[in-house]
Each structure stands twice: as C-alpha cells, then as structure tokens.
Amino acid sequence: MKTDMKWVFGIVVLFFFSCGKREGQVSLSEKSEMTFQLDSLVQESCVGDNCAKLRLVWPVADGGENASKINEGIQAQLRRLAQYGEASSSRPLDSLANDFLASFTAFKSEFPDSYGGWEIQAEGSVSYQSANTLSVYFAQFSFLGGAHPNSLVSFSNFDAVTGEELERNQLILDESKLINLAEKKFREHHKVEEGTGLTEDGRFSLPETGFFLANAMGFREGKFWIVYVPYEIGPYVLGYTELEFNKEELGDAVRW
C-alpha cells in the first residue's frame, strides 16, 4: 500500500512540475521570435500663432539576431521622409528635427508677414511578416507652404532571416510578368478604353520606355501592393493609384 502511495505521489509531483513549466517558462523559439513595439518623435515650435510640427512614428524590432539591421533600415527610411532642405540623410532624427524647426523660425523671421505653419508627419508600421519577408509600410504627409500639401507612401522590405533590406531584384522575381499584370490592372483601375494606349489616353505621364513599376511596392494585408503616388505617373489631381494582387494572381513573380 505504501509503495502504491509513493507511486501516486510521484505522478502528482511530476504533474505540478509539468504545469509549472508550461505556465512559467518560454521556449527558445519563443524567446528568439522577433517582436515589434512603436517609438515616436514629436516636436513643435511656434512663432506667434503659426507653428512647425514634426511627428514621426515607427516600429522597433526586438528579439531577433538581426533586429539591429532591420532597425537601421527603418531609421534610414524615416530620415529620408523627415529630411528637409539639403540636410544629410545619415544624421540622427532629432538633429533633422531641430534643423526643420530652426528653418521655420528663420523663415518667419525673414518673412514676418507670411501666413501658416509647416508640418511633416511620417508613420511606419509592420504590414507583413512571413518566414522569408518582412514589409514596413510608411505614410508621409508634409506641408511647407505652397498651393497644397504633399503626401506619399513607401515600403521598406527586408529579408526576414538575415535582416538585410531587399533590393528590387530580390523582391521582384519575374519583372516582365509583374509589369504585364500591373499594366492590365492599371488600365482597369483608370477605365482606359480597350485599344487605347496609355500615352494616347492623355491622363498619364510615361517615359519613352512605356509603362513602369512604381517606387512603392511591398506587402500589406496579406497582398502585394504597387502604389503610384501623385506626380509619379500623372498630375497631382490623378491622386494615388493603388494596385493590389493576391498570391494566386502573382504566383512566384514576387518574394512572398
């Protein structure tokens, strides 16, 4: 009887140790999994009732061996979006922010009767993450005076294993196939009549080489996106042209 009780007691102890491990310990794969949190930089400077505002929001990678490389790529894109004038894109974000605010103060001092403020906003978010590829989607808005504000979107795409930022030929694996599919969808989006060339339509600005892929390409909402920003393929009034493709449409033409 005592032997049986010892056996039961051993099973109970083993059960409690097993439960404790499941609840209190994290596996090595969970520890090494890359996670993201948001960071931000918000600054403002006013001259009278007019203000210059800068707001930057971006994801910060943590937990993976190559998180630092991804963070460097994200920071580089933020510097390009926040850059004002001829400032170097290699400088820290807070230094670029100070230059932006100082330029606004100097402008108002030189032109005290000028009306209105300045504003730069840029926000990045992780829009796609697979075993191979990571995409960060950026939306930027700026107004520095003039007839209207400007805006654009962009993607930074990374190798999820190495952390290196992907070159265009690493992201696009079959460019001719993608161009053909994109042009077809572009024509459908803008309702170009069948048999009419894009240059004949009159709404679009194309180089001599013809239709081209946009600068902003990457993954969002589980799909591959090609986004033409204002002025890229037509006048400002044309606005954005956003083309989305699912995996069934593109197959292996891009790196999923």
Side-chain angles (χ1 to χ4, degrees):
M1 185 68 175
K2 290 183 178 180
T3 303
D4 292 341
M5 288 300 294
K6 288 182 179 179
W7 182 80
V8 173
F9 178 77
I11 294 295
V12 171
V13 170
L14 180 61
F15 173 79
F16 277 108
F17 271 106
S18 299
C19 289
K21 183 176 181 180
R22 283 197 296 269
E23 292 177 357
Q25 295 185 2
V26 181
S27 69
L28 181 62
S29 61
E30 289 173 330
K31 284 183 179 179
S32 61
E33 183 178 356
M34 188 173 296
T35 59
F36 292 86
Q37 59 183 358
L38 291 179
D39 200 355
S40 63
L41 174 64
V42 179
Q43 293 194 18
E44 179 176 332
S45 178
C46 297
V47 177
D49 295 331
N50 300 319
C51 299
K53 301 177 182 180
L54 179 76
R55 179 179 179 270
L56 307 177
V57 180
W58 66 94
V60 179
D62 183 45
E65 293 182 1
N66 299 298
S68 60
K69 292 183 180 179
I70 292 174
N71 289 331
E72 288 171 6
I74 292 173
Q75 286 282 311
Q77 180 63 357
L78 273 173
R79 288 194 294 269
R80 287 189 286 269
L81 295 175
Q83 186 172 320
Y84 172 76
E86 301 299 324
S88 171
S89 60
S90 63
R91 293 170 57 193
L93 286 176
D94 55 356
S95 177
L96 295 177
N98 291 336
D99 278 357
F100 170 68
L101 300 179
S103 296
F104 174 76
T105 301
F107 175 81
K108 288 297 183 181
S109 177
E110 185 175 357
F111 303 99
D113 295 330
S114 62
Y115 176 76
W118 293 358
E119 186 173 2
I120 293 179
Q121 293 190 37
E123 185 166 348
S125 60
V126 176
S127 56
Y128 180 83
Q129 190 172 6
S130 72
N132 298 317
T133 308
L134 172 76
S135 286
V136 179
Y137 175 78
F138 294 90
Q140 190 253 23
F141 167 90
S142 66
F143 181 72
L144 306 174
H148 54 72
N150 292 308
S151 64
L152 61 85
V153 299
S154 58
F155 289 90
S156 290
N157 302 291
F158 301 90
D159 185 311
V161 177
T162 67
E164 299 287 346
E165 192 161 2
L166 297 173
E167 300 289 341
R168 182 186 176 107
N169 62 355
Q170 295 174 305
L171 178 68
I172 310 303
L173 306 180
D174 189 339
E175 187 165 353
S176 61
K177 177 180 179 179
L178 184 60
I179 287 178
N180 289 335
L181 291 173
E183 182 173 1
K184 179 181 179 182
K185 188 158 287 193
F186 184 91
R187 294 176 63 91
E188 292 172 354
H189 179 88
H190 288 290
K191 297 180 173 57
V192 179
E193 293 185 7
E194 187 174 352
T196 301
L198 293 179
T199 54
E200 299 169 350
D201 182 278
R203 289 177 289 170
F204 315 114
S205 303
L206 297 172
E208 293 182 358
T209 52
F211 187 77
F212 60 93
L213 296 175
N215 289 320
M217 293 188 290
F219 297 94
R220 182 162 59 98
E221 300 170 354
K223 300 178 181 179
F224 186 79
W225 293 73
I226 302 175
V227 184
Y228 297 87
V229 302
Y231 293 122
E232 186 174 12
I233 201 168
Y236 180 82
V237 294
L238 187 68
Y240 284 84
T241 300
E242 298 182 288
L243 310 177
E244 59 180 279
F245 302 85
N246 58 40
K247 197 168 187 177
E248 289 70 25
E249 291 176 283
L250 294 186
D252 58 1
V254 299
R255 171 193 174 117
W256 292 91

